[in-house]
């Protein structure tokens, strides 16, 4: 069974946004913020495959945001990677080299949740800590309107890819996302 989504201007529904996401969007120029829409979803369907199946969204129209812990010596830094839902982030190749890390791996969930004030399954590049680089696959940046998390499991955002590429700390990388399989 599929359910149509009711899209609304994101800033008109702050209850559907994690607090740092709402603050970040409120700081955008009005012309950009008006282009971001939000929809309430069943929190049990926040994971990409379930969301796409239930709400009839093509996986190619969605993006996943994963947080990476990059280690060199005794130093650990964090970065977000935003890739199309049909791909996976090239963590041990391109990401590790770009971050000049000896080792790169998915960051521990508890660390990510505490640092972002977002919910697992709703992490989004909008509103992340200012010192985290945001690596965005070129296909996501070029997408006219991609679906990303809203910082909570109970909502999704529709955002022009070019606006994500303009986020502070954003770097657009070709081939960041590699095909799954």
């Amino acid at each position: 069974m599929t359910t149509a989504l009711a899209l609304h201007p994101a800033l008109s529904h702050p209850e559907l946004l994690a607090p740092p996401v709402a603050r970040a969007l409120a700081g955008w120029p009005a012309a950009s913020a008006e282009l971001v829409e939000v929809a309430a979803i069943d929190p049990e369907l926040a994971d990409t495959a379930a969301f796409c199946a239930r709400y009839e969204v093509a996986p190619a129209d969605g993006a996943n945001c994963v947080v990476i812990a990059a280690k060199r010596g005794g130093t650990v830094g964090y970065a977000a990677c935003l890739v199309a839902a049909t791909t996976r982030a090239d963590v041990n190749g391109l990401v590790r080299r770009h971050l000049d890390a000896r080792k790169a791996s998915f960051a521990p969930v508890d660390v990510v949740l505490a640092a972002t004030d977002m919910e697992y399954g709703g992490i989004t590049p909008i509103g992340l800590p200012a010192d985290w680089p945001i690596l965005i696959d070129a296909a996501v940046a070029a997408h006219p309107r991609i679906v990303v998390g809203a910082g909570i499991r109970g909502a999704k955002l529709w955002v022009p890819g070019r606006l994500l590429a303009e986020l502070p700390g954003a770097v657009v990388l070709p081939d960041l996302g590699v095909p799954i399989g």
Side-chain angles (χ1 to χ4, degrees):
M1 176 181 165
T2 58
T3 304
L5 291 165
L7 296 175
H8 308 281
L11 287 175
S12 70
H13 285 276
E15 74 281 4
L16 295 177
L17 308 171
V21 177
R23 285 190 300 272
L25 286 174
W28 285 17
S32 294
E34 290 171 0
L35 298 175
V36 180
E37 293 181 299
V38 67
I41 66 165
D42 179 338
E44 296 299 315
L45 301 173
D47 295 331
T48 303
F51 166 77
C52 289
R54 173 70 180 267
Y55 296 107
E56 296 184 338
V57 173
D61 291 333
N64 291 324
C65 185
V66 295
V67 178
I68 304 302
K71 301 173 186 173
R72 182 174 259 321
T75 305
V76 178
Y78 297 95
C81 295
L82 189 64
V83 297
T86 56
T87 66
R88 63 175 177 76
D90 184 8
V91 174
N92 291 311
L94 182 59
V95 173
R96 184 184 56 75
R97 287 189 307 273
H98 182 81
L99 298 174
D100 194 28
R102 184 158 177 78
K103 182 179 180 189
S105 58
F106 294 105
V109 173
D110 58 333
V111 171
V112 173
L113 300 182
T116 64
D117 195 22
M118 296 183 198
E119 296 177 1
Y120 180 75
I123 303 294
T124 187
I126 300 168
L128 290 175
D131 60 339
W132 288 10
I134 302 170
L135 310 180
I136 301 175
D137 186 79
V140 172
H143 198 287
R145 199 164 151 240
I146 196 119
V147 180
V148 296
I152 65 168
R153 290 184 63 84
K156 294 286 186 180
L157 294 174
W158 277 252
V159 185
R162 67 178 174 78
L163 294 180
L164 295 170
E166 294 171 4
L167 288 169
V171 177
V172 176
L173 297 174
D175 302 320
L176 174 62
V178 294
I180 296 172

